[in-house]
Amino acid sequence: MMCEQQQQVTFMEMSKNKGDHRSRRRCMEEGRVRVDMSGMSLDSFPILSLNLATISNLDLSNNNLESIPESMTARLLNVVALDVHSNQLKVLPNSIGCLSKLKILNVSSNLLHTLPKTIENCKSLEELNANFNQLSVLPDTIGFELINLKKLSVNANKLGFLPQSISHLTSLRVLDARLNCLRFLPEDMENLINLEVLNVSQNFQCLENLPYSLGLLVSLVELDVSYNKITSLPDSIGCLKKLQKLCVEGNPLVSPPMEVFEQSLQAVKEYLCEKMKAGQRPPKKQSWVGKLVKCTTFNGKIGGRRGEREGFIMISEYRSIEGLASPRYTGLLSPRRLFSPRTYLTK
């Protein structure tokens, strides 16, 4: 039965390359062969009759695979897309790190508890789908190495946190971490300058706070934080100029109040902006007269013909009001002169 399947696969893939025999041979030499073995009830990785280094796309999804041989994976040197979703895989081979040209990896709907650290060597990886597994952690340094990653989907797992290195995925456009057990998000998410979609909804009432850095995601278009335990949105979210969709239902929100959400997204942004401005409003500026009091310049008595009154003290001597109002001394009462290092009158 296995031999028949192998022959069928080989024939099917050769027939997909349109053109004459010379054209098909050229595709094999250039490593552009697509192999589709999905839904064939395979229990083990089949032994193919072609050179594995010629395969660019390999689909082994919807089978019963429990493991992928290390030696077989290491020979997929030119594979660009690898799909093994909906199998019974408990681990991925460490040799997956040899796939330097891999751009798309789909390992969703398996039984994975961890991802191999060697996955960081897949420098060309642009899309990683690990949904519906049993992942409790991601590799600590995953964000330092996968610099070309554009889409990371890890929903429906058991993640309690995302590694801090996630904030270094500057090419990331989509981050889907819903249906986990996230208790917090990385603080320095502002480095995700290309992130457009962030979904951290339905984290089983574990997520209570959002970092201020969310408001610094300059490219963010969609934000979904629904069905968590969030009571207050960061004021910085009001600064998200490109934000078009904000989902917050299912949270015990106090700020902004629900009546603001019932108006519009723009109303929410304005509310948060005003709140942020109020929190950052500088103290009321003190007049220069107040500064004189602080400097003990406006704290004495000036003797006059009609008795004593409070007024300015020029440290070295007293003058009458009439005398001070004369052209000779008028300029001496300017704030500029009063606050100059020279603190005494000259005759």
Side-chain angles (χ1 to χ4, degrees):
M1 178 64 180
M2 182 62 68
C3 292
E4 293 179 359
Q5 288 180 342
Q6 293 172 9
Q7 292 175 357
Q8 180 182 0
V9 171
T10 304
F11 173 79
M12 179 174 60
E13 292 310 317
M14 293 302 100
S15 64
K16 284 183 179 179
N17 296 314
K18 296 181 180 181
D20 56 15
H21 176 73
R22 184 178 301 175
S23 176
R24 293 197 298 270
R25 183 176 180 180
R26 184 168 61 252
C27 288
M28 292 181 64
E29 292 175 349
E30 295 176 356
R32 293 188 286 114
V33 176
R34 297 174 179 268
V35 177
D36 185 353
M37 290 180 285
S38 61
M40 298 180 67
S41 301
L42 299 174
D43 295 320
S44 60
F45 197 94
I47 300 175
L48 302 177
S49 60
L50 51 82
N51 183 0
L52 295 183
T54 64
I55 299 176
S56 63
N57 295 64
L58 178 58
D59 188 348
L60 291 166
S61 63
N62 291 291
N63 284 292
N64 301 313
L65 300 176
E66 295 183 1
S67 65
I68 301 176
E70 295 277 357
S71 59
M72 301 289 284
T73 307
R75 291 159 58 192
L76 296 169
L77 299 178
N78 291 300
V79 71
V80 176
L82 176 60
D83 189 349
V84 292
H85 84 265
S86 301
N87 278 282
Q88 303 295 317
L89 297 174
K90 296 181 180 180
V91 294
L92 293 179
N94 287 317
S95 57
I96 199 168
C98 298
L99 310 183
S100 59
K101 297 182 180 180
L102 185 65
K103 292 185 177 181
I104 301 174
L105 176 60
N106 188 345
V107 296
S108 62
S109 300
N110 279 284
L111 305 173
L112 300 174
H113 289 271
T114 60
L115 296 177
K117 182 176 174 58
T118 54
I119 199 172
E120 300 171 357
N121 296 326
C122 301
K123 307 291 187 181
S124 300
L125 196 62
E126 296 181 0
E127 182 176 332
L128 174 57
N129 186 341
N131 299 333
F132 294 97
N133 278 282
Q134 299 178 21
L135 298 174
S136 56
V137 293
L138 296 176
D140 287 340
T141 56
I142 190 172
F144 295 136
E145 306 298 337
L146 301 182
I147 58 176
N148 292 305
L149 194 65
K150 296 179 180 179
K151 183 176 182 180
L152 176 59
S153 299
V154 289
N155 72 62
N157 279 282
K158 299 179 180 180
L159 297 172
F161 63 92
L162 297 175
Q164 290 291 332
S165 64
I166 287 287
S167 61
H168 291 266
L169 297 174
T170 55
S171 298
L172 197 65
R173 297 179 182 274
V174 178
L175 175 55
D176 184 356
R178 57 187 155 156
L179 289 167
N180 278 282
C181 304
L182 296 178
R183 297 185 297 274
F184 57 88
L185 298 178
E187 288 293 336
D188 49 353
M189 296 187 68
E190 67 272 13
N191 295 327
L192 303 178
I193 56 176
N194 289 301
L195 190 66
E196 298 175 355
V197 179
L198 175 60
N199 191 334
V200 290
S201 63
Q202 304 178 72
N203 271 279
F204 295 100
Q205 301 295 309
C206 295
L207 188 60
E208 298 182 2
N209 299 296
L210 298 174
Y212 184 88
S213 57
L214 280 188
L216 305 177
L217 297 175
V218 294
S219 300
L220 198 64
V221 177
E222 296 184 18
L223 175 60
D224 190 343
V225 296
S226 57
Y227 297 100
N228 284 295
K229 208 173 180 179
I230 300 169
T231 58
S232 178
L233 293 182
D235 300 341
S236 59
I237 288 181
C239 300
L240 296 175
K241 296 181 179 181
K242 293 186 177 181
L243 190 65
Q244 299 177 8
K245 182 179 180 181
L246 175 61
C247 299
V248 297
E249 64 268 20
N251 283 286
L253 272 173
V254 176
S255 175
M258 290 310 299
E259 52 265 28
V260 176
F261 281 103
E262 292 172 358
Q263 296 178 31
S264 65
L265 175 58
Q266 185 59 34
V268 172
K269 289 183 179 180
E270 292 175 357
Y271 175 92
L272 292 173
C273 280
E274 288 300 320
K275 185 180 176 184
M276 181 171 59
K277 290 177 182 178
Q280 297 178 348
R281 188 170 296 163
K284 187 176 180 181
K285 291 185 177 180
Q286 197 174 22
S287 67
W288 63 272
V289 175
K291 291 180 180 178
L292 286 176
V293 174
K294 185 177 180 180
C295 295
T296 68
T297 308
F298 190 73
N299 63 350
K301 306 281 186 179
I302 290 183
R305 295 180 180 178
R306 298 183 180 180
E308 295 181 344
R309 65 178 67 180
E310 293 184 351
F312 296 100
I313 293 181
M314 312 312 286
I315 295 174
S316 62
E317 59 184 317
Y318 292 88
R319 298 282 181 179
S320 65
I321 294 297
E322 288 83 359
L324 291 174
S326 65
R328 180 180 178 182
Y329 295 108
T330 301
L332 297 176
L333 294 178
S334 68
R336 181 178 179 184
R337 185 61 177 267
L338 289 170
F339 294 120
S340 66
R342 198 171 187 178
T343 57
Y344 55 88
L345 294 175
T346 57
K347 295 183 179 179

